[in-house]
Amino acid sequence: MRFIARAIRPTVLEAAQNFPAVVVTGPRRAGKTTLLRRLFPRASYVVLEDPDIQARARSDPRGMLDGLRLPALFDEIQNVPELFAYIRTRIDESPSMRGQWLFTGSQEAPLMQGVSESMAGRAAILHLLPLSLAETDRVTLLAGGYPEALARPKARDLWFGSYIQTYLERDVRAIVNVRDLATFRRFLALLASRHGQILNRTDLAAPLGVSVPTISEWLHVLEITGQIILVPPYFENFGKRLLKSPKIYILDSGLACHLLGIRTQAELSRSPFLGTLFEGFVAAEILKHQANRGRRKELYYFRDQQGLEVDFLFPGDSGGSWMVECKASKTVQPAMAGPLQSLRRAMGKHEPVRAAIIHSKAASPAHIRTVAPQVEALDVQEFLNALGGETVRPRKRREA
């Protein structure tokens, strides 16, 4: 598969023009190293997963840095976070130099700790997620967005199996002492079956025979390595009692399908998980859009104790906000707009709100976009175009 230009590219280049260092975090195999090597082809490349290079970096950090031609790219910097202190000294010696120190990392929390302690104000922090549908139409609900899985569609299932094994052996064991990897693997499959549900740690702990604190620890591992999305509830004081637990999703829909044993489009179409998988797919696309623009994660859901529920709320790029309902169906009915209209009334006139039902793309588009007053229907591609600031053109009526 050819190199696919990443939407985050302008953000990375802008960061490199304004900061001495740029840190790109994100899940393993999302394309961080490929992106930076493509954007900075002359940068010295240091692979910090190599045990020999790790040993040298720890035993003689000054010697290693002296031997590098700038700019320099350090891959998986969380393996030797002590380098940050030495690099900070060099940045402070030449504060006007920009874009000379580039880093990738797959474990966000340990990496961010090193950045906050040694590189505060000196480094731009960006987050790269797997490929988005806005970047390539090869991204699908079944395949997900990992570049290597998309490049080898016939070997996709094998790739995901290998990815999980590598993830267990490298990232999980590097962060937490998991005595029984088989149980952790069962935990991943169980978590996939709770995709799109309100997080209930007790419900996860009981079938596995582990404690709730253990589940919390494992969820923390998945979160800091970019494998799950935790969507918090939306809180606003307009007289409703709200649920307070987050909803949980596997970040990549292809990985979620693999964990659920869904291998083909036919199996996906008849799966009872189709609706929540589609919902998670839309959530991931929203987060990719935000991350590619260098914005922080802002995605919420709404559910009150009376049963009113809206899938997602999030701020727009130019002020105002979005509220969306996700429907895997290709046919949108006016009744689907009910929750959006109810929540809009409950919120009152706070700020401009764009309400939309996001649905699967049909072979022949519907003639009417507006399905209810102030509620529109958009397929996923139209929705992403709207997020990116493109005008979504009215659908043409066919000639009679």
Side-chain angles (χ1 to χ4, degrees):
M1 185 173 74
R2 287 185 182 180
F3 174 77
I4 296 171
R6 302 304 301 263
I8 200 173
R9 177 182 182 275
T11 306
V12 174
L13 293 176
E14 182 182 2
Q17 292 170 1
N18 290 280
F19 288 85
V22 177
V23 181
V24 179
T25 70
R28 189 177 291 278
R29 311 310 298 173
K32 303 181 294 297
T33 304
T34 301
L35 170 70
L36 290 182
R37 296 196 75 179
R38 189 87 177 192
L39 294 182
F40 306 95
R42 297 184 178 180
S44 302
Y45 181 47
V46 182
V47 184
L48 291 173
E49 287 194 310
D50 185 307
D52 293 335
I53 296 177
Q54 284 185 31
R56 185 186 172 203
R58 292 192 174 99
S59 64
D60 186 14
R62 288 188 178 90
M64 167 178 274
L65 296 179
D66 285 343
L68 293 177
R69 182 190 70 253
L70 297 183
L73 167 58
F74 296 83
D75 200 13
E76 302 296 350
I77 185 64
Q78 78 277 350
N79 290 310
V80 193
E82 52 265 39
L83 277 177
F84 279 131
Y86 295 93
I87 293 171
R88 177 190 61 192
T89 301
R90 297 182 182 233
I91 289 174
D92 292 344
E93 289 172 351
S94 304
S96 63
M97 298 289 285
R98 299 286 185 263
Q100 298 300 295
W101 303 94
L102 311 167
F103 308 96
T104 73
S106 300
Q107 298 170 14
E108 188 171 359
L111 176 59
M112 290 309 300
Q113 182 179 353
V115 172
S116 62
E117 290 176 354
S118 302
M119 305 288 284
R122 301 170 180 87
I125 314 299
L126 302 174
H127 197 57
L128 182 69
L129 298 176
L131 285 161
S132 163
L133 182 60
E135 295 170 310
T136 173
D137 58 8
R138 294 191 181 202
V139 172
T140 65
L141 184 57
L142 180 64
Y146 280 106
E148 289 165 299
L150 297 178
R152 305 176 182 88
K154 293 182 179 180
R156 184 174 62 232
D157 195 47
L158 178 61
W159 186 88
F160 278 120
S162 300
Y163 181 85
I164 292 171
Q165 185 62 37
T166 302
Y167 171 71
L168 289 171
E169 294 292 343
R170 281 185 172 181
D171 292 338
V172 174
R173 280 187 164 166
I175 299 170
V176 65
N177 182 22
V178 178
R179 297 179 180 177
D180 187 354
L181 286 179
T183 301
F184 193 92
R185 188 185 291 272
R186 287 170 51 216
F187 164 68
L188 290 176
L190 181 63
L191 198 63
S193 72
R194 304 297 192 270
H195 186 85
Q197 296 184 14
I198 302 294
L199 177 59
N200 185 328
R201 291 173 173 83
T202 302
D203 180 55
L204 291 169
L208 299 172
V210 300
S211 67
V212 171
T214 296
I215 292 295
S216 297
E217 186 177 40
W218 290 356
L219 288 170
H220 175 67
V221 172
L222 293 174
E223 187 175 18
I224 69 174
T225 54
Q227 299 301 325
I228 59 172
I229 302 171
L230 291 177
V231 179
Y234 179 82
F235 288 106
E236 185 68 40
N237 185 21
F238 44 81
K240 286 187 173 289
R241 300 182 64 185
L242 309 176
L243 299 186
K244 297 183 179 180
S245 297
K247 290 173 74 173
I248 189 164
Y249 301 89
I250 304 293
L251 171 70
D252 186 74
S253 63
L255 180 59
C257 286
H258 174 82
L259 290 169
L260 290 168
I262 299 171
R263 303 293 186 257
T264 66
Q265 187 62 46
E267 291 175 352
L268 176 61
S269 298
R270 59 177 180 264
S271 171
F273 295 104
L274 175 61
T276 53
L277 286 168
F278 181 77
E279 186 180 310
F281 182 81
V282 173
E285 290 295 318
I286 294 169
L287 293 181
K288 290 172 185 178
H289 173 82
Q290 293 175 346
N292 288 338
R293 282 155 180 75
R295 293 170 47 198
R296 64 188 178 93
K297 169 187 170 183
E298 288 189 274
L299 181 65
Y300 310 92
Y301 79 93
F302 181 92
R303 183 184 293 183
D304 66 19
Q305 294 184 349
Q306 285 71 49
L308 175 60
E309 180 177 2
V310 169
D311 289 334
F312 301 120
L313 297 92
F314 60 97
D317 285 355
S318 305
S321 60
W322 283 80
M323 59 172 69
V324 301
E325 278 281 279
C326 306
K327 302 296 180 184
S329 171
K330 297 180 180 180
T331 305
V332 177
Q333 304 291 346
M336 296 176 180
L340 295 170
Q341 293 177 305
S342 296
L343 182 56
R344 184 192 284 274
R345 286 193 297 269
M347 293 176 69
K349 297 180 179 179
H350 286 202
E351 61 181 8
V353 176
R354 188 169 179 179
I357 298 170
I358 314 304
H359 61 90
S360 297
K361 187 174 183 177
S364 56
H367 303 321
I368 300 174
R369 186 180 306 284
T370 301
V371 293
Q374 297 184 307
V375 179
E376 57 192 318
L378 303 171
D379 66 40
V380 180
Q381 189 63 66
E382 291 171 336
F383 172 59
L384 296 178
N385 291 343
L387 288 185
E390 295 184 25
T391 301
V392 182
R393 299 176 181 175
R395 293 170 178 158
K396 296 179 180 180
R397 292 183 178 273
R398 291 181 178 176
E399 298 294 332

